[in-house]
Amino acid sequence: MTSPTPPSSASDDIRVVAPALADWRALAAAPVSVATWRGISQIVVGSFVLLVAAIAFTVALSLSLSLLVLVVGIPMLVATLWACRPFAAIERARLHAQLDVTIPAPTYPRRDGVWASWWAVLSDSRTWAHVAYLVVAGLLLTAQGIAVTFAGGFALGGLVYPVIATAAGLTQPPIPLVLMVPAALLCAWIGALVVQAGSLAIVRLGRTLLGSSPRAEAVELARQAQARAVRAEGRAVQLTETRTAAVGAADEERRRIERDLHDGAQQRLVALGVELGSARRKVSSDPEAAAALEHAHREVKETLAELRDLVRGIHPAVLTDRGLDAALSALAARSPVPVRVDVPDPPALGRASTSAQAAAYFVVAEALTNAAKHASASAVTVTATVTGPNLRLLVADDGRGGAVATPGSGLDGLRSRVAALDGTFDLDSPAGAGTRLTVEVPCAS
């Protein structure tokens, strides 16, 4: 559905139709202005159109009213009023073509059934407004035409009379020649103002009586705005559900990879390490074989350590097995910097979704890594609470501060991860005053 054209303000119409009323330079040039000549053309054409329409409407209305007693006058009256609608369309098109203004067409009521449709025409306020325009605009154009004719006649006479008087050799004309030209210019200027002001009046009258009613248009605009808001809200809900499903699917996939690595390759490497250790003890009499087995055993242990780090980076097993409280404690135990974990209500953390808990885990892991590698911190405090519908995480250290979530950094990755869950990420790290990282994610993410 096409949106209705917003109503033009009076200042817009003045700028287009009657610039002499708003600008002194346009006022000085009013007699030769394009707006003036457009107005003169619309007076000529509009007077003819309204005269023909007024005669036709008057005859049809009189005939239909006189035949009301014979019932046949009712459909004639309906047809007469209905004919005002195409007349209004023609008049809107004329004003657009001659004065370069656009008047939005109104929406007429429709009813099913003959009698209902007739009553819709008879009771339509917009149709009667078109009738009022026909009467008022006709009177206005008539008065304007008379005023412009007199002003133009005096202006033309004032310019021609001195020439005729001089050619005829009149030494004492009834009107001093020195006053004729200024008077003629004044008449031309007044006539131009009348033309532009009259055109503005016709345009404003047309907007009121030929276009949509302001209330109906405001209601339509409000209805369309409400419909767009409903569609936007539905789209937002759909995107939220899609995002939540995508995050959940990705988290589930990470857990699957973690289980496959833990139960498959990692277990086989452990068994291989045990067998290599046993073989190394049995070949103590062969130094070269013992050295080779020692090297293989060391490689297996290093591979296991790397695999454990990889599994922990994909999805920590302790988070799945024992929950967020234990997972945070495990991170604190592995940190080279002393860490105090404060969880006032451990069972409450279990209400958070797996995606929210995983985000909290990786935020703490990255913060502790930064505190150890870059901040030169001597102590870190981790606080995890559930506040209303959100899981809130606070990580504070006493390091040198100055941390910035630059694009591509670990902190920036955490910011993106939290944003994907519709959470908040606040980094406060003034130089020399430590770093304070506050993250909140919805428990239902």
Side-chain angles (χ1 to χ4, degrees):
M1 181 177 179
T2 304
S3 300
T5 304
S8 295
S9 64
S11 59
D12 294 333
D13 287 336
I14 291 175
R15 178 178 53 82
V16 175
V17 178
L21 302 181
D23 184 71
W24 65 269
R25 287 172 295 188
L27 178 62
V32 294
S33 172
V34 174
T36 299
W37 293 102
R38 282 180 174 177
I40 293 174
S41 70
Q42 82 86 19
I43 291 175
V44 175
V45 177
S47 298
F48 175 76
V49 171
L50 289 173
L51 177 62
V52 173
I55 293 174
F57 178 77
T58 302
V59 172
L61 182 63
S62 301
L63 185 60
S64 59
L65 291 177
S66 63
L67 294 177
L68 282 178
V69 294
L70 300 178
V71 182
V72 71
I74 296 178
M76 291 185 62
L77 178 61
V78 171
T80 301
L81 290 176
W82 182 89
C84 290
R85 296 178 178 180
F87 159 74
I90 293 173
E91 190 66 5
R92 287 193 299 267
R94 182 185 72 82
L95 293 176
H96 176 73
Q98 293 192 282
L99 297 179
D100 196 25
V101 294
T102 300
I103 300 177
T107 301
Y108 301 108
R110 295 183 178 181
R111 300 288 187 274
D112 294 331
V114 176
W115 292 105
S117 61
W118 287 4
W119 177 249
V121 175
L122 292 172
S123 62
D124 180 31
S125 60
R126 284 290 88 192
T127 301
W128 286 103
H130 301 341
V131 176
Y133 173 86
L134 177 61
V135 176
V136 177
L139 295 175
L140 183 60
L141 282 179
T142 300
Q144 188 180 9
I146 294 173
V148 171
T149 300
F150 274 101
F154 281 121
L156 183 62
L159 294 174
V160 173
Y161 180 77
V163 177
I164 297 176
T166 302
L170 296 177
T171 57
Q172 292 183 347
I175 301 175
L177 297 180
V178 70
L179 298 178
M180 294 299 293
V181 174
L185 294 178
L186 180 61
C187 287
W189 182 75
I190 293 175
L193 287 181
V194 171
V195 169
Q196 293 193 20
S199 298
L200 177 62
I202 288 293
V203 169
R204 298 310 297 177
L205 185 68
R207 291 196 184 280
T208 303
L209 301 179
L210 297 180
S212 300
S213 65
R215 181 177 179 182
E217 190 166 335
V219 170
E220 178 64 17
L221 289 173
R223 187 193 66 78
Q224 293 193 8
Q226 183 178 9
R228 288 193 295 268
V230 170
R231 289 195 298 270
E233 183 178 359
R235 180 61 176 164
V237 171
Q238 181 184 5
L239 290 176
T240 301
E241 294 175 350
T242 303
R243 182 202 62 197
T244 301
V247 172
D251 189 64
E252 180 63 31
E253 183 65 14
R254 285 194 296 269
R255 288 199 299 272
R256 184 191 65 77
I257 295 173
E258 180 269 330
R259 287 194 300 269
D260 290 346
L261 290 174
H262 182 273
D263 298 339
Q266 188 173 340
Q267 294 301 323
R268 289 195 297 272
L269 284 173
V270 170
L272 179 59
V274 172
E275 292 179 3
L276 287 174
S278 176
R280 186 186 59 181
R281 290 189 295 271
K282 293 179 181 179
V283 295
S284 57
S285 59
D286 187 352
E288 292 184 0
L293 288 174
E294 174 69 23
H295 176 73
H297 191 234
R298 186 169 59 252
E299 288 293 324
V300 168
K301 289 193 291 184
E302 292 177 356
T303 302
L304 275 173
E306 294 178 359
L307 188 58
R308 289 192 185 96
D309 291 339
L310 175 63
V311 169
R312 191 178 299 115
I314 294 174
H315 189 84
V318 64
L319 185 61
T320 303
D321 298 338
R322 299 172 57 193
L324 181 58
D325 184 20
L328 296 181
S329 299
L331 286 175
R334 291 197 302 269
S335 174
V337 179
V339 179
R340 183 173 66 87
V341 178
D342 183 15
V343 181
D345 187 9
L349 300 183
R351 296 201 300 268
S353 65
T354 56
S355 300
Q357 294 187 40
Y361 176 89
F362 287 113
V363 166
V364 173
E366 181 67 23
L368 294 182
T369 300
N370 290 340
K373 289 185 177 181
H374 309 296
S376 301
S378 60
V380 182
T381 301
V382 177
T383 305
T385 58
V386 173
T387 305
N390 295 331
L391 170 60
R392 188 173 189 271
L393 199 67
L394 173 63
V395 183
D397 66 54
D398 59 356
R400 58 190 174 193
V404 180
T406 56
S409 64
L411 288 175
D412 184 61
L414 292 180
R415 185 198 302 274
S416 301
R417 187 181 189 119
V418 171
L421 298 176
D422 203 18
T424 60
F425 184 96
D426 181 38
L427 178 63
D428 182 18
S429 184
T435 299
R436 185 182 180 89
L437 178 62
T438 306
V439 169
E440 287 193 12
V441 293
C443 289
S445 297

